[in-house]
Amino acid sequence: MLRLVLYALAGLLVLVVVGYFAAAAPIADARYNTVQAEPPYDASERAQAVHDALMVADLHNDLLLWPRDPRTRHERGHTDVPRLREGGMGLQVFAAVTQVPMGRSYAGTDADALDQIPFLAAAQRWPVRTWTSRLERARYQAQKLRRATARDEALMLLRTRADLNSLLGRRRETPSAMGTLLSVEGLHALEGRVANVDTLVDDGYRMMSLTHLHDNALGGSSTGLRNGGLTGFGAAVVDRLAARDVTIDLAHASEALIDDVLARTDGPVVVSHTGVRATCDSPRNLSDRHLEAIAAREGVIGVGLWETAVCGTGPAAAAAAMRHVADRVGVEHVALGTDFDGTVSVPFDATGLPLLTEALLDEGFSPREVERIMGGNVVRVLRQTLPGAE
């Protein structure tokens, strides 16, 4: 009898804990993914006309981490597919976040600090395997996106250059057609096994960054404690990424890691979401030396929207950072990397993207240059880096 009572109490406790976390996840989502101005947003007639002719491509979005069905319009956070479409998004890179240590800081983040993601996974009732495995968290987020694309015929998961060309063709007939691409934010998700690159590629991932907020087994993070370069394990992973035609993302990489990766690889790389030190001096942002090195490889720099990336709270600050990149290395290397839904505060949700187009025009960019910045440059790089076939 006592054993039955204890089992019942234990079951009740589990229900209470799960219920608490289930309620806490949407609260955390609303608290950490905020906008500085609520919709609706009004751009000038000229800016709206220019924007309506664009196919926007964004290199970084963390929507898959949160308790939102991507296909359903929500009142919280920055994005979902309906709002992205309304904002003109034609190609969205969705990143899988698999570890976020407590106490993260641009001054230095300890990889051994308590990881917050297991609590968020449990709160959303992700499969139990994701509670203890970073790899399984990435795999589950890929599954979440694949399910969304399977239920929306105008939403495509891009795996190859042929898929990208198909998207561009479809958008001529169906402007609501939207491409998605899977990215991993930090290859601590490999859990120490090079072979897991193949697992992630098989799941649909086509872009991967080596580090995120903290140093890991591959090398140093820009906000880690050591800021080191590429390790032996990291070198083996980079070689495997190249062999599998995975686009390498150098966002969050330490200076030494950027140097080592560029020395070991050929072809374009991306920095999916960043700022530049010339307009916002931060260890998280890129120096002019690295702008030049990435441009020399025909890569692109995705400029973000959040305050600590651009040292400002409006779209004009992002446009100013983009102007610096263009003036320093050429407009063909400027891209957009919003960091939507990345626990940041941004000027607007996805429906406000015409305001960025307006800020770029105000910064002196021509409509043709805006077209390249807001999407054309990303398409160019992906045509070079995506595999030709499965």
Side-chain angles (χ1 to χ4, degrees), residues 324-364:
H324 176 79
V325 178
D327 289 348
R328 187 78 185 191
V329 298
V331 72
E332 64 270 27
H333 303 294
V334 189
L336 175 64
T338 61
D339 202 19
F340 277 151
D341 291 315
T343 65
V344 291
S345 179
V346 293
F348 43 71
D349 72 13
T351 65
L353 283 166
L355 297 179
L356 179 58
T357 293
E358 183 166 24
L360 290 169
L361 294 169
D362 290 345
E363 191 63 50

mmCIF file of all heavy atoms in Angstrom, residues 324-364:
data_model
loop_
_atom_site.group_PDB
_atom_site.id
_atom_site.type_symbol
_atom_site.label_atom_id
_atom_site.label_comp_id
_atom_site.label_asym_id
_atom_site.label_seq_id
_atom_site.Cartn_x
_atom_site.Cartn_y
_atom_site.Cartn_z
ATOM 1 N N HIS A 324 29.293 50.203 -43.515
ATOM 2 C CA HIS A 324 30.732 50.043 -43.271
ATOM 3 C C HIS A 324 31.276 48.823 -44.009
ATOM 4 O O HIS A 324 32.348 48.899 -44.624
ATOM 5 C CB HIS A 324 31.032 49.912 -41.779
ATOM 6 C CG HIS A 324 32.483 49.647 -41.520
ATOM 7 N ND1 HIS A 324 33.427 50.648 -41.551
ATOM 8 C CD2 HIS A 324 33.156 48.482 -41.276
ATOM 9 C CE1 HIS A 324 34.635 50.120 -41.323
ATOM 10 N NE2 HIS A 324 34.480 48.810 -41.159
ATOM 11 N N VAL A 325 30.559 47.705 -43.935
ATOM 12 C CA VAL A 325 31.021 46.503 -44.640
ATOM 13 C C VAL A 325 31.119 46.776 -46.136
ATOM 14 O O VAL A 325 32.111 46.418 -46.791
ATOM 15 C CB VAL A 325 30.089 45.310 -44.367
ATOM 16 C CG1 VAL A 325 30.550 44.084 -45.155
ATOM 17 C CG2 VAL A 325 30.039 44.981 -42.873
ATOM 18 N N ALA A 326 30.099 47.414 -46.697
ATOM 19 C CA ALA A 326 30.097 47.701 -48.133
ATOM 20 C C ALA A 326 31.253 48.609 -48.519
ATOM 21 O O ALA A 326 31.920 48.395 -49.539
ATOM 22 C CB ALA A 326 28.763 48.324 -48.536
ATOM 23 N N ASP A 327 31.493 49.649 -47.722
ATOM 24 C CA ASP A 327 32.567 50.577 -48.036
ATOM 25 C C ASP A 327 33.942 49.926 -47.891
ATOM 26 O O ASP A 327 34.876 50.242 -48.633
ATOM 27 C CB ASP A 327 32.494 51.807 -47.124
ATOM 28 C CG ASP A 327 31.312 52.713 -47.470
ATOM 29 O OD1 ASP A 327 30.703 52.511 -48.542
ATOM 30 O OD2 ASP A 327 31.006 53.614 -46.660
ATOM 31 N N ARG A 328 34.041 49.000 -46.952
ATOM 32 C CA ARG A 328 35.334 48.381 -46.679
ATOM 33 C C ARG A 328 35.654 47.269 -47.687
ATOM 34 O O ARG A 328 36.793 47.181 -48.162
ATOM 35 C CB ARG A 328 35.340 47.795 -45.258
ATOM 36 C CG ARG A 328 36.679 47.277 -44.783
ATOM 37 C CD ARG A 328 37.587 48.415 -44.365
ATOM 38 N NE ARG A 328 38.924 47.968 -44.023
ATOM 39 C CZ ARG A 328 39.844 48.725 -43.433
ATOM 40 N NH1 ARG A 328 39.558 49.977 -43.112
ATOM 41 N NH2 ARG A 328 41.030 48.246 -43.169
ATOM 42 N N VAL A 329 34.671 46.410 -48.004
ATOM 43 C CA VAL A 329 34.985 45.231 -48.827
ATOM 44 C C VAL A 329 34.047 45.043 -50.015
ATOM 45 O O VAL A 329 34.238 44.110 -50.795
ATOM 46 C CB VAL A 329 34.981 43.945 -47.971
ATOM 47 C CG1 VAL A 329 36.046 44.012 -46.894
ATOM 48 C CG2 VAL A 329 33.600 43.686 -47.343
ATOM 49 N N GLY A 330 33.034 45.880 -50.159
ATOM 50 C CA GLY A 330 32.136 45.773 -51.296
ATOM 51 C C GLY A 330 30.745 45.319 -50.916
ATOM 52 O O GLY A 330 30.577 44.462 -50.039
ATOM 53 N N VAL A 331 29.756 45.871 -51.586
ATOM 54 C CA VAL A 331 28.361 45.572 -51.263
ATOM 55 C C VAL A 331 28.031 44.108 -51.506
ATOM 56 O O VAL A 331 27.095 43.548 -50.893
ATOM 57 C CB VAL A 331 27.422 46.496 -52.069
ATOM 58 C CG1 VAL A 331 27.390 46.111 -53.541
ATOM 59 C CG2 VAL A 331 26.014 46.501 -51.479
ATOM 60 N N GLU A 332 28.805 43.434 -52.371
ATOM 61 C CA GLU A 332 28.527 42.026 -52.672
ATOM 62 C C GLU A 332 28.815 41.089 -51.509
ATOM 63 O O GLU A 332 28.507 39.891 -51.584
ATOM 64 C CB GLU A 332 29.325 41.586 -53.901
ATOM 65 C CG GLU A 332 30.824 41.607 -53.726
ATOM 66 C CD GLU A 332 31.478 42.933 -54.114
ATOM 67 O OE1 GLU A 332 30.796 43.993 -54.034
ATOM 68 O OE2 GLU A 332 32.652 42.917 -54.520
ATOM 69 N N HIS A 333 29.359 41.624 -50.411
ATOM 70 C CA HIS A 333 29.669 40.786 -49.250
ATOM 71 C C HIS A 333 28.789 41.116 -48.038
ATOM 72 O O HIS A 333 29.029 40.597 -46.949
ATOM 73 C CB HIS A 333 31.149 40.931 -48.890
ATOM 74 C CG HIS A 333 32.051 40.581 -50.031
ATOM 75 N ND1 HIS A 333 32.143 39.308 -50.535
ATOM 76 C CD2 HIS A 333 32.857 41.359 -50.805
ATOM 77 C CE1 HIS A 333 32.983 39.308 -51.557
ATOM 78 N NE2 HIS A 333 33.422 40.532 -51.745
ATOM 79 N N VAL A 334 27.771 41.923 -48.247
ATOM 80 C CA VAL A 334 26.858 42.311 -47.170
ATOM 81 C C VAL A 334 25.598 41.451 -47.246
ATOM 82 O O VAL A 334 25.044 41.247 -48.320
ATOM 83 C CB VAL A 334 26.472 43.795 -47.257
ATOM 84 C CG1 VAL A 334 25.711 44.209 -45.993
ATOM 85 C CG2 VAL A 334 27.690 44.676 -47.467
ATOM 86 N N ALA A 335 25.160 40.968 -46.093
ATOM 87 C CA ALA A 335 23.941 40.160 -46.030
ATOM 88 C C ALA A 335 23.208 40.471 -44.735
ATOM 89 O O ALA A 335 23.669 41.265 -43.902
ATOM 90 C CB ALA A 335 24.272 38.670 -46.133
ATOM 91 N N LEU A 336 22.051 39.829 -44.580
ATOM 92 C CA LEU A 336 21.203 40.016 -43.402
ATOM 93 C C LEU A 336 21.258 38.772 -42.532
ATOM 94 O O LEU A 336 21.093 37.657 -43.019
ATOM 95 C CB LEU A 336 19.759 40.269 -43.853
ATOM 96 C CG LEU A 336 18.688 40.381 -42.762
ATOM 97 C CD1 LEU A 336 18.954 41.587 -41.869
ATOM 98 C CD2 LEU A 336 17.301 40.481 -43.394
ATOM 99 N N GLY A 337 21.507 38.979 -41.243
ATOM 100 C CA GLY A 337 21.489 37.889 -40.269
ATOM 101 C C GLY A 337 20.796 38.362 -39.015
ATOM 102 O O GLY A 337 21.433 38.720 -38.024
ATOM 103 N N THR A 338 19.472 38.368 -39.026
ATOM 104 C CA THR A 338 18.689 39.085 -38.022
ATOM 105 C C THR A 338 18.939 38.627 -36.590
ATOM 106 O O THR A 338 18.924 39.436 -35.672
ATOM 107 C CB THR A 338 17.183 38.920 -38.310
ATOM 108 O OG1 THR A 338 16.849 37.528 -38.245
ATOM 109 C CG2 THR A 338 16.810 39.502 -39.669
ATOM 110 N N ASP A 339 19.125 37.315 -36.402
ATOM 111 C CA ASP A 339 19.076 36.674 -35.082
ATOM 112 C C ASP A 339 17.677 36.760 -34.490
ATOM 113 O O ASP A 339 17.498 36.798 -33.275
ATOM 114 C CB ASP A 339 20.099 37.257 -34.103
ATOM 115 C CG ASP A 339 20.433 36.296 -32.957
ATOM 116 O OD1 ASP A 339 20.164 35.079 -33.098
ATOM 117 O OD2 ASP A 339 20.958 36.746 -31.922
ATOM 118 N N PHE A 340 16.662 36.776 -35.346
ATOM 119 C CA PHE A 340 15.281 36.705 -34.870
ATOM 120 C C PHE A 340 15.110 35.507 -33.933
ATOM 121 O O PHE A 340 15.639 34.413 -34.164
ATOM 122 C CB PHE A 340 14.322 36.528 -36.047
ATOM 123 C CG PHE A 340 13.943 37.797 -36.773
ATOM 124 C CD1 PHE A 340 13.620 37.764 -38.130
ATOM 125 C CD2 PHE A 340 13.860 39.010 -36.115
ATOM 126 C CE1 PHE A 340 13.235 38.908 -38.806
ATOM 127 C CE2 PHE A 340 13.484 40.172 -36.780
ATOM 128 C CZ PHE A 340 13.169 40.119 -38.138
ATOM 129 N N ASP A 341 14.379 35.732 -32.851
ATOM 130 C CA ASP A 341 14.048 34.712 -31.855
ATOM 131 C C ASP A 341 15.274 34.118 -31.186
ATOM 132 O O ASP A 341 15.254 32.989 -30.671
ATOM 133 C CB ASP A 341 13.170 33.609 -32.468
ATOM 134 C CG ASP A 341 11.781 34.127 -32.795
ATOM 135 O OD1 ASP A 341 11.202 34.826 -31.937
ATOM 136 O OD2 ASP A 341 11.274 33.871 -33.903
ATOM 137 N N GLY A 342 16.338 34.905 -31.127
ATOM 138 C CA GLY A 342 17.587 34.461 -30.507
ATOM 139 C C GLY A 342 17.813 35.027 -29.119
ATOM 140 O O GLY A 342 18.948 35.310 -28.740
ATOM 141 N N THR A 343 16.744 35.183 -28.338
ATOM 142 C CA THR A 343 16.774 35.807 -27.000
ATOM 143 C C THR A 343 17.404 37.188 -27.061
ATOM 144 O O THR A 343 18.264 37.539 -26.268
ATOM 145 C CB THR A 343 17.478 34.924 -25.938
ATOM 146 O OG1 THR A 343 18.865 34.783 -26.269
ATOM 147 C CG2 THR A 343 16.819 33.563 -25.814
ATOM 148 N N VAL A 344 16.940 37.971 -28.048
ATOM 149 C CA VAL A 344 17.401 39.344 -28.215
ATOM 150 C C VAL A 344 16.180 40.243 -28.401
ATOM 151 O O VAL A 344 15.089 39.779 -28.740
ATOM 152 C CB VAL A 344 18.343 39.484 -29.427
ATOM 153 C CG1 VAL A 344 19.664 38.772 -29.180
ATOM 154 C CG2 VAL A 344 17.683 38.995 -30.712
ATOM 155 N N SER A 345 16.409 41.533 -28.198
ATOM 156 C CA SER A 345 15.403 42.536 -28.509
ATOM 157 C C SER A 345 15.770 43.170 -29.846
ATOM 158 O O SER A 345 16.910 43.581 -30.064
ATOM 159 C CB SER A 345 15.359 43.607 -27.417
ATOM 160 O OG SER A 345 14.402 44.602 -27.732
ATOM 161 N N VAL A 346 14.818 43.217 -30.773
ATOM 162 C CA VAL A 346 15.059 43.758 -32.109
ATOM 163 C C VAL A 346 14.055 44.872 -32.392
ATOM 164 O O VAL A 346 13.054 45.009 -31.690
ATOM 165 C CB VAL A 346 14.959 42.648 -33.177
ATOM 166 C CG1 VAL A 346 16.100 41.647 -33.026
ATOM 167 C CG2 VAL A 346 13.617 41.927 -33.112
ATOM 168 N N PRO A 347 14.313 45.692 -33.416
ATOM 169 C CA PRO A 347 13.438 46.856 -33.639
ATOM 170 C C PRO A 347 12.007 46.497 -34.006
ATOM 171 O O PRO A 347 11.089 47.265 -33.736
ATOM 172 C CB PRO A 347 14.127 47.585 -34.803
ATOM 173 C CG PRO A 347 15.529 47.123 -34.795
ATOM 174 C CD PRO A 347 15.490 45.721 -34.290
ATOM 175 N N PHE A 348 11.815 45.338 -34.654
ATOM 176 C CA PHE A 348 10.495 44.970 -35.172
ATOM 177 C C PHE A 348 10.432 43.464 -35.325
ATOM 178 O O PHE A 348 11.468 42.781 -35.312
ATOM 179 C CB PHE A 348 10.252 45.636 -36.532
ATOM 180 C CG PHE A 348 11.452 45.589 -37.446
ATOM 181 C CD1 PHE A 348 11.879 44.402 -38.038
ATOM 182 C CD2 PHE A 348 12.182 46.749 -37.697
ATOM 183 C CE1 PHE A 348 12.986 44.367 -38.866
ATOM 184 C CE2 PHE A 348 13.308 46.710 -38.520
ATOM 185 C CZ PHE A 348 13.711 45.520 -39.113
ATOM 186 N N ASP A 349 9.221 42.933 -35.465
ATOM 187 C CA ASP A 349 9.115 41.522 -35.801
ATOM 188 C C ASP A 349 9.276 41.374 -37.314
ATOM 189 O O ASP A 349 9.549 42.353 -38.027
ATOM 190 C CB ASP A 349 7.833 40.903 -35.255
ATOM 191 C CG ASP A 349 6.559 41.327 -35.981
ATOM 192 O OD1 ASP A 349 6.629 41.928 -37.078
ATOM 193 O OD2 ASP A 349 5.470 41.033 -35.454
ATOM 194 N N ALA A 350 9.114 40.162 -37.828
ATOM 195 C CA ALA A 350 9.416 39.911 -39.241
ATOM 196 C C ALA A 350 8.578 40.757 -40.191
ATOM 197 O O ALA A 350 9.008 41.039 -41.315
ATOM 198 C CB ALA A 350 9.224 38.428 -39.545
ATOM 199 N N THR A 351 7.399 41.187 -39.758
ATOM 200 C CA THR A 351 6.561 41.991 -40.650
ATOM 201 C C THR A 351 7.130 43.390 -40.853
ATOM 202 O O THR A 351 6.700 44.101 -41.769
ATOM 203 C CB THR A 351 5.130 42.099 -40.103
ATOM 204 O OG1 THR A 351 5.139 42.816 -38.862
ATOM 205 C CG2 THR A 351 4.509 40.721 -39.889
ATOM 206 N N GLY A 352 8.101 43.780 -40.039
ATOM 207 C CA GLY A 352 8.675 45.123 -40.144
ATOM 208 C C GLY A 352 9.910 45.215 -41.017
ATOM 209 O O GLY A 352 10.558 46.274 -41.062
ATOM 210 N N LEU A 353 10.258 44.160 -41.737
ATOM 211 C CA LEU A 353 11.469 44.186 -42.561
ATOM 212 C C LEU A 353 11.501 45.321 -43.594
ATOM 213 O O LEU A 353 12.590 45.800 -43.943
ATOM 214 C CB LEU A 353 11.668 42.833 -43.241
ATOM 215 C CG LEU A 353 12.231 41.744 -42.305
ATOM 216 C CD1 LEU A 353 12.078 40.360 -42.932
ATOM 217 C CD2 LEU A 353 13.692 42.018 -41.970
ATOM 218 N N PRO A 354 10.362 45.814 -44.108
ATOM 219 C CA PRO A 354 10.440 46.985 -44.992
ATOM 220 C C PRO A 354 11.097 48.199 -44.347
ATOM 221 O O PRO A 354 11.663 49.049 -45.048
ATOM 222 C CB PRO A 354 8.968 47.265 -45.324
ATOM 223 C CG PRO A 354 8.307 45.925 -45.233
ATOM 224 C CD PRO A 354 9.002 45.240 -44.076
ATOM 225 N N LEU A 355 11.068 48.273 -43.013
ATOM 226 C CA LEU A 355 11.740 49.392 -42.340
ATOM 227 C C LEU A 355 13.253 49.312 -42.505
ATOM 228 O O LEU A 355 13.929 50.342 -42.549
ATOM 229 C CB LEU A 355 11.377 49.410 -40.854
ATOM 230 C CG LEU A 355 9.903 49.626 -40.504
ATOM 231 C CD1 LEU A 355 9.710 49.602 -38.994
ATOM 232 C CD2 LEU A 355 9.387 50.938 -41.102
ATOM 233 N N LEU A 356 13.799 48.104 -42.594
ATOM 234 C CA LEU A 356 15.228 47.973 -42.849
ATOM 235 C C LEU A 356 15.549 48.387 -44.279
ATOM 236 O O LEU A 356 16.573 49.050 -44.529
ATOM 237 C CB LEU A 356 15.686 46.539 -42.584
ATOM 238 C CG LEU A 356 17.172 46.271 -42.835
ATOM 239 C CD1 LEU A 356 18.064 47.186 -41.992
ATOM 240 C CD2 LEU A 356 17.516 44.813 -42.569
ATOM 241 N N THR A 357 14.708 48.000 -45.215
ATOM 242 C CA THR A 357 14.885 48.465 -46.598
ATOM 243 C C THR A 357 14.900 49.983 -46.641
ATOM 244 O O THR A 357 15.741 50.601 -47.317
ATOM 245 C CB THR A 357 13.771 47.901 -47.486
ATOM 246 O OG1 THR A 357 13.928 46.480 -47.589
ATOM 247 C CG2 THR A 357 13.803 48.513 -48.878
ATOM 248 N N GLU A 358 13.994 50.612 -45.900
ATOM 249 C CA GLU A 358 13.958 52.074 -45.866
ATOM 250 C C GLU A 358 15.241 52.642 -45.269
ATOM 251 O O GLU A 358 15.806 53.618 -45.793
ATOM 252 C CB GLU A 358 12.751 52.548 -45.060
ATOM 253 C CG GLU A 358 12.598 54.053 -45.026
ATOM 254 C CD GLU A 358 11.237 54.488 -44.526
ATOM 255 O OE1 GLU A 358 10.576 53.714 -43.803
ATOM 256 O OE2 GLU A 358 10.825 55.609 -44.888
ATOM 257 N N ALA A 359 15.752 52.018 -44.207
ATOM 258 C CA ALA A 359 17.000 52.498 -43.588
ATOM 259 C C ALA A 359 18.178 52.351 -44.543
ATOM 260 O O ALA A 359 19.075 53.203 -44.572
ATOM 261 C CB ALA A 359 17.256 51.727 -42.295
ATOM 262 N N LEU A 360 18.201 51.288 -45.338
ATOM 263 C CA LEU A 360 19.279 51.100 -46.314
ATOM 264 C C LEU A 360 19.205 52.156 -47.405
ATOM 265 O O LEU A 360 20.240 52.703 -47.842
ATOM 266 C CB LEU A 360 19.205 49.697 -46.916
ATOM 267 C CG LEU A 360 19.562 48.553 -45.970
ATOM 268 C CD1 LEU A 360 19.191 47.205 -46.591
ATOM 269 C CD2 LEU A 360 21.041 48.576 -45.609
ATOM 270 N N LEU A 361 18.010 52.476 -47.874
ATOM 271 C CA LEU A 361 17.855 53.546 -48.861
ATOM 272 C C LEU A 361 18.293 54.883 -48.271
ATOM 273 O O LEU A 361 18.982 55.681 -48.932
ATOM 274 C CB LEU A 361 16.408 53.616 -49.336
ATOM 275 C CG LEU A 361 15.906 52.404 -50.140
ATOM 276 C CD1 LEU A 361 14.391 52.470 -50.313
ATOM 277 C CD2 LEU A 361 16.596 52.324 -51.500
ATOM 278 N N ASP A 362 17.929 55.132 -47.023
ATOM 279 C CA ASP A 362 18.345 56.362 -46.348
ATOM 280 C C ASP A 362 19.859 56.425 -46.175
ATOM 281 O O ASP A 362 20.450 57.513 -46.130
ATOM 282 C CB ASP A 362 17.670 56.477 -44.978
ATOM 283 C CG ASP A 362 16.177 56.738 -45.068
ATOM 284 O OD1 ASP A 362 15.700 57.122 -46.161
ATOM 285 O OD2 ASP A 362 15.481 56.528 -44.054
ATOM 286 N N GLU A 363 20.496 55.266 -46.076
ATOM 287 C CA GLU A 363 21.952 55.188 -45.936
ATOM 288 C C GLU A 363 22.664 55.438 -47.261
ATOM 289 O O GLU A 363 23.889 55.547 -47.302
ATOM 290 C CB GLU A 363 22.328 53.808 -45.375
ATOM 291 C CG GLU A 363 23.749 53.631 -44.921
ATOM 292 C CD GLU A 363 24.154 54.526 -43.759
ATOM 293 O OE1 GLU A 363 23.435 54.586 -42.742
ATOM 294 O OE2 GLU A 363 25.229 55.169 -43.879
ATOM 295 N N GLY A 364 21.907 55.532 -48.337
ATOM 296 C CA GLY A 364 22.489 55.846 -49.635
ATOM 297 C C GLY A 364 22.654 54.672 -50.574
ATOM 298 O O GLY A 364 23.195 54.825 -51.678
#
